[in-house]
């Protein structure tokens, strides 16, 4: 699914109006019907619904939804923000329709004195401002937002919580944004929905289709996309009956140090479960019996050091390399990583301490192979590029880094984002909070390494790896819940996660 800017969505709306053709009033009615259906399915008609409508299309949606729900015996009250100019276009027509219906109390709000009392048991439907907002709320709108937030009432936002902007909120004030329990967004999620600081404002997001014109959606370019299984299913490589282990590549995993061999075992297990034909794990000497006992399917390459990574084996026979989990950042390991990069390996995924070493030696970044995959979590990424005050700025730095070094940057999080060398960003929506546990990132490294070694292109390995990792976590959570989930549970669910793409 493409993620468009608010300006692009406005253009797509207008194209639909002109080319379907459909009037803007009828398109608004189509959207309002979708939201009305959601309310009917999720909110009892015994609840009083309090609607707040602004001067734009969001207000027009709110006016239409109130009328439709009133016809279904919902008790609705409408409060329209009055700037003294009156409504125009479709919103004005919907206000007339609502008044003519004579089922909904309509009150204009011109000052704070006009504000109603909002009880905790009420349900507020927020239609004050839409995604086209480009500045922080102040004056009466900010007062209304704070009154709604202080009420304790359940809030349902129409398209986007009022006060939240569709993309960049770096200069915004979250205290002036509606805190919704549900956000009913129309056709597309907004870019700002994927940023963690907005979770408490959005609540649960429902994407409601409103039938915007498919031609303009297909033709409109955007650097942002949401991963969907239909796309990923096409990327899965089918296995021939005459395949053998050599067909599916030979991966080299360089991971682990004294006292931290679990990361190596987890990454190796995930790599094997991802379908690689052969895996060699390069380990400190002390890690050899651990790996051979825990994972007999893996071969071992033994480092001269008992404690850490100090050198790597000849690279000729390996299809892809993964390096970093629990490696440590001792001088010998740093030197060995530099030598590995200077050897110009082909496909490679770098995680954890490999990234921490690079942040200690930024001059080595130029040694990264083209289309290398980096899988940092937030702090590892900040060590590489510096701290960011907000997610939008961080996202732009992620894109800039990927383009500058021609690599893939997989920034792990609730909506893991994959930035590509050409400036694209793919967001993932699989996974759950239970995966915030030790070793989860090591599992992702192993999955991506296993896919890379099987002749998947780096982009496909990154996209599939992230999505499969999240689905496996969701399947594991169905069994154990969030609190008891551990990284090994994710590995055990990888088979079903792959099968889910074949349905």
């Amino acid at each position: 699914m493409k993620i468009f800017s608010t300006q692009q969505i406005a253009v797509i709306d207008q194209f639909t109006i002109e080319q379907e053709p459909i009037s803007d009033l009828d398109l608004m009615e189509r959207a309002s019907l979708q939201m009305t259906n959601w309310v009917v399915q999720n909110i009892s008609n015994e609840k009083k619904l309090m609607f707040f409508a602004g001067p734009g299309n969001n207000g027009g949606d709110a006016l239409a939804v109130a009328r439709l729900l009133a016809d279904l015996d919902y008790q609705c009250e409408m409060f329209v923000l009055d700037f003294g100019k009156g409504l125009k276009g479709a919103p004005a027509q919907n206000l007339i329709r609502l008044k003519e219906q004579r089922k909904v109390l309509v009150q204009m709000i011109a000052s704070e004195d006009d504000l109603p009392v909002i009880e905790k048991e009420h349900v507020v439907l927020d239609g004050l401002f839409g995604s086209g907002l480009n500045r922080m709320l102040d004056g009466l709108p900010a007062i209304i937002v704070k009154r709604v937030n202080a009420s304790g009432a359940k809030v349902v936002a129409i398209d986007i919580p009022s006060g939240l902007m569709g993309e960049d909120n770096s200069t915004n004030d979250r205290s002036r944004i509606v805190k919704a329990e549900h956000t009913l967004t129309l056709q597309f999620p907004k870019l700002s929905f994927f940023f963690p600081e907005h979770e408490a404002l959005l609540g649960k997001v429902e994407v409601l289709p409103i039938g915007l014109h498919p031609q303009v959606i297909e033709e409109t370019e955007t650097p942002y996309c949401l991963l969907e299984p239909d796309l990923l299913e096409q990327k899965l490589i089918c296995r021939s009956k005459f395949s053998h282990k050599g067909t599916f590549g030979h991966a080299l995993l360089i991971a682990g140090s004294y006292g931290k061999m679990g990361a190596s075992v987890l990454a190796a297990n995930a790599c094997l479960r991802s379908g690689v034909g052969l895996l060699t794990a390069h380990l400190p000497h002390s890690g050899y019996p651990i790996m051979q006992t825990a994972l007999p399917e893996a071969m071992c390459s033994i480092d001269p050091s008992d404690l850490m990574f100090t050198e790597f084996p000849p690279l000729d026979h390996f299809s892809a390399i993964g390096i970093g989990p629990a490696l440590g950042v001792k001088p010998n390991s740093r030197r060995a990583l530099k030598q590995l990069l200077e050897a110009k390996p082909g496909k490679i995924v770098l995680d954890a301490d490999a990234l921490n070493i690079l942040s200690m030696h930024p001059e080595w970044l130029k040694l990264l192979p083209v289309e290398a995959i980096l899988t940092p979590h937030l702090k590892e990424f900040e060590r590489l590029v510096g701290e960011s005050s907000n997610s939008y700025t961080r996202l732009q730095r992620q894109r800039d880094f990927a383009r500058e070094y021609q690599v893939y940057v997989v920034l792990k999080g609730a909506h893991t984002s994959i930035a590509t060398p050409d400036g694209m960003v793919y967001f993932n929506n699989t996974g759950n909070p239970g995966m915030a546990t030790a070793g989860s990132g090591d599992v992702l490294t192993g999955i991506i390494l296993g896919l890379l070694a099987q002749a998947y292109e780096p982009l496909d390995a990154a996209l599939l790896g992230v999505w499969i990792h999240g689905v496996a976590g969701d399947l594991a959570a169905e069994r154990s819940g969030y609190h008891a989930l551990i990284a090994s549970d994710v590995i055990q669910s990888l088979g079903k996660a792959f099968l889910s793409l074949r349905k």
Side-chain angles (χ1 to χ4, degrees):
M1 177 188 292
K2 292 181 176 180
I3 302 168
F4 296 108
S5 69
T6 53
Q7 291 94 338
Q8 288 176 313
I9 292 173
V11 171
I12 292 169
D13 284 347
Q14 189 59 38
F15 184 95
T16 301
I17 290 167
E18 294 172 357
Q19 299 297 322
E20 186 168 332
I22 184 174
S23 71
D24 56 347
L25 183 64
D26 287 339
L27 183 59
M28 190 173 287
E29 191 79 0
R30 184 189 293 173
S32 300
L33 280 167
Q34 288 284 359
M35 289 183 280
T36 298
N37 289 337
W38 184 93
V39 171
V40 169
Q41 294 172 20
N42 291 276
I43 298 174
S44 168
N45 63 0
E46 296 178 357
K47 293 280 188 180
K48 178 188 282 190
L49 307 183
M50 303 186 74
F51 289 79
F52 289 85
N57 285 340
N58 247 46
D61 290 335
L63 291 160
V65 173
R67 170 174 46 80
L68 292 167
L69 286 171
D71 276 338
L72 297 173
D73 296 326
Y74 279 83
Q75 183 184 356
C76 304
E77 293 185 2
M78 172 60 64
F79 302 91
V80 181
L81 187 58
D82 183 7
F83 287 126
K85 298 179 180 179
L87 303 183
K88 297 180 180 180
Q93 292 175 274
N94 270 322
L95 179 58
I96 292 170
R97 286 181 173 183
L98 186 63
K99 289 180 176 179
E100 290 177 345
Q101 183 194 44
R102 298 181 181 274
K103 292 183 178 181
V104 176
L105 173 66
V106 179
Q107 180 176 328
M108 306 304 289
I109 302 176
S111 71
E112 187 174 356
D113 294 337
D114 298 327
L115 288 176
V117 174
I118 307 171
E119 303 290 349
K120 187 175 182 179
E121 62 269 17
H122 294 163
V123 177
V124 172
L125 283 94
D126 162 36
L128 286 170
F129 296 95
S131 58
L133 191 72
N134 57 16
R135 63 183 178 86
M136 181 172 61
L137 295 182
D138 58 13
L140 182 58
I143 292 171
I144 297 173
V145 166
K146 290 183 179 182
R147 183 75 64 89
V148 168
N149 288 343
S151 69
K154 179 176 183 175
V155 179
V156 179
I158 292 175
D159 197 34
I160 189 170
S162 291
L164 184 65
M165 291 174 252
E167 291 85 42
D168 183 4
N169 286 268
S170 57
T171 60
N172 210 345
D173 180 350
R174 272 180 278 174
S175 71
R176 304 186 188 195
I177 302 172
V178 165
K179 294 181 180 178
E181 189 171 323
H182 295 274
T183 297
L184 310 182
T185 196
L186 304 176
Q187 193 77 41
F188 314 104
K190 314 305 184 276
L191 183 63
S192 59
F193 290 8
F194 296 93
F195 301 154
E197 59 263 37
H198 300 150
E199 178 185 13
L201 305 173
L202 293 160
K204 185 176 181 181
V205 176
E206 305 278 351
V207 181
L208 304 181
I210 61 172
L212 295 182
H213 204 292
Q215 177 186 338
V216 69
I217 293 173
E218 181 179 352
E219 292 177 353
T220 303
E221 295 185 358
T222 172
Y224 305 111
C225 290
L226 178 64
L227 288 179
E228 294 183 298
D230 289 348
L231 168 68
L232 298 173
E233 182 181 6
Q234 300 170 18
K235 296 181 180 296
L236 271 184
I237 297 175
C238 295
R239 296 198 164 206
S240 164
K241 179 174 69 173
F242 297 99
S243 302
H244 52 82
K245 62 186 178 183
T247 306
F248 301 112
H250 189 170
L252 171 64
L253 173 67
I254 303 173
S257 58
Y258 185 77
K260 296 181 179 179
M261 285 308 303
S264 182
V265 172
L266 288 168
N269 197 352
C271 181
L272 286 164
R273 290 285 183 183
S274 298
V276 73
L278 297 162
L279 169 66
T280 293
H282 183 83
L283 315 160
H285 196 279
S286 58
Y288 167 71
I290 297 172
M291 182 64 75
Q292 290 284 264
T293 303
L295 203 59
E297 295 90 347
M299 299 178 286
C300 293
S301 165
I302 312 302
D303 197 280
S305 170
D306 278 342
L307 307 177
M308 69 192 77
F309 166 55
T310 64
E311 65 178 43
F312 53 90
L315 304 179
D316 300 346
H317 302 299
F318 299 111
S319 312
I321 300 167
I323 182 168
L327 206 65
V329 295
K330 298 292 187 183
N332 285 347
S333 298
R334 283 186 258 163
R335 183 181 64 250
L337 174 62
K338 182 186 180 187
Q339 291 170 346
L340 175 64
L341 296 177
E342 289 174 333
K344 300 186 182 303
K347 295 181 176 180
I348 186 170
V349 54
L350 299 100
D351 183 34
D353 284 330
L355 302 176
N356 291 329
I357 292 172
L358 287 175
S359 68
M360 298 165 71
H361 297 277
E363 68 276 11
W364 295 355
L365 289 171
K366 64 179 182 292
L367 299 175
L368 287 170
V370 171
E371 295 196 315
I373 300 175
L374 284 63
T375 60
H377 59 54
L378 175 59
K379 288 301 181 182
E380 290 163 349
F381 184 68
E382 288 186 340
R383 292 183 195 117
L384 282 171
V385 305
E387 294 185 4
S388 301
S389 60
N390 61 87
S391 295
Y392 182 81
T393 301
R394 186 180 302 112
L395 177 63
Q396 303 314 311
R397 289 186 174 184
Q398 181 186 0
R399 294 180 68 204
D400 291 344
F401 187 97
R403 284 183 291 204
E404 179 178 357
Y405 295 103
Q406 289 294 289
V407 296
Y408 295 92
V409 181
V410 178
L411 183 54
K412 295 178 284 194
H415 290 290
T416 293
S417 54
I418 303 100
T420 72
D422 61 1
M424 288 289 296
V425 178
Y426 297 85
F427 290 96
N428 180 56
N429 65 352
T430 63
N432 60 79
M435 298 174 72
T437 183
S440 182
D442 306 322
V443 171
L444 177 61
T445 299
I447 296 169
I448 294 176
L449 173 59
L451 295 171
L452 274 180
Q454 292 174 71
Y456 283 90
E457 292 300 319
L459 174 61
D460 294 346
L463 299 183
L464 275 167
V466 166
W467 195 86
I468 287 288
H469 179 246
V471 171
D474 290 339
L475 291 167
E478 290 177 4
R479 296 193 306 273
S480 64
Y482 294 163
H483 294 84
L485 193 151
I486 60 175
S488 297
D489 299 332
V490 179
I491 296 172
Q492 293 305 312
S493 295
L494 283 174
K496 288 186 177 180
F498 277 100
L499 286 173
S500 71
L501 274 183
R502 290 298 190 194
K503 291 181 180 178

